[in-house]
Amino acid sequence: MLDRISRRLLYELQKDSRLSVQELSRRVGLSATPCWRRLKEIERAGLIRRHTVLIDREAVGLKECLLAHVTLLRHAGNTVEEFERAVLAHPEVIECYSTTGDADYILKVVVEDMKAYDRFLHQRIFTLPGVANVRTAVVLREVKYDTVLPVEAA
């Protein structure tokens, strides 16, 4: 179980992973050395997957964001594994969820424009054996996009 200090550390690091140990210790109410030790314990426990940077996708030319609802023909043999391997190999897919309901998977795909999405579907997804159907929802605007997990409130 994570105590209040560990949760606070995780919360603050999610907001800004470039914080110095001194600033982090100030924000969570510990001195620098115990803060550094606690941080190392959290890292050893595998709670932090990686440190990264969030980029404005539109500023780098990825204007379209789409949610592809993919249905497979069957779940037998290597169909699921093959589909998942293919999804992992394509950087256009930035999120993939195995779901219940009408679709087997929901993919979040970012591309330059709709022509690029059409190419992605025809060259990457429709060529996979086992894909029965793809229904796409076009994201008109992002109302909320955040990667900060609510660990502090838990």
Side-chain angles (χ1 to χ4, degrees):
M1 293 297 291
L2 294 173
D3 64 9
R4 184 185 66 75
I5 296 290
S6 293
R7 289 181 180 282
R8 184 73 186 178
L9 276 168
L10 289 171
Y11 181 76
E12 292 296 335
L13 284 172
Q14 286 182 97
K15 293 191 321 183
D16 185 355
S17 67
R18 293 179 6 149
L19 289 174
S20 68
V21 172
Q22 289 74 22
E23 177 61 21
L24 191 56
S25 66
R26 188 190 66 73
R27 291 186 186 192
V28 301
L30 283 178
S31 60
T33 301
C35 182
W36 180 82
R37 280 192 207 115
R38 185 75 68 103
L39 186 54
K40 291 303 169 193
E41 289 171 14
I42 287 171
E43 289 174 346
R44 274 193 299 276
L47 295 173
I48 298 173
R49 288 186 184 180
R50 67 178 181 202
H51 297 268
T52 190
V53 174
L54 295 178
I55 297 172
D56 181 328
R57 70 173 170 81
E58 290 188 29
V60 296
L62 299 169
K63 303 288 187 202
E64 299 297 333
C65 180
L66 307 113
L67 303 175
H69 300 242
V70 180
T71 305
L72 301 180
L73 287 170
R74 62 195 172 285
H75 292 261
N78 292 339
T79 303
V80 170
E81 293 82 10
E82 190 174 337
F83 177 79
E84 290 179 2
R85 265 194 313 277
V87 165
L88 291 169
H90 299 299
E92 302 94 339
V93 179
I94 60 171
E95 295 178 42
C96 175
Y97 301 97
S98 175
T99 62
T100 61
D102 295 336
D104 295 310
Y105 292 90
I106 298 177
L107 312 179
K108 184 174 182 181
V109 180
V110 293
V111 290
E112 300 83 22
D113 54 32
M114 292 306 288
K115 286 184 181 185
Y117 183 63
D118 184 55
R119 280 191 309 277
F120 169 77
L121 285 177
H122 284 86
Q123 295 173 5
R124 308 278 195 239
I125 301 300
F126 293 155
T127 60
L128 294 171
V131 172
N133 183 32
V134 177
R135 288 181 306 111
T136 301
V138 176
V139 174
L140 299 175
R141 72 187 154 93
E142 289 178 352
V143 175
K144 180 178 181 180
Y145 173 72
D146 203 342
T147 62
V148 177
L149 297 176
V151 295
E152 187 182 43

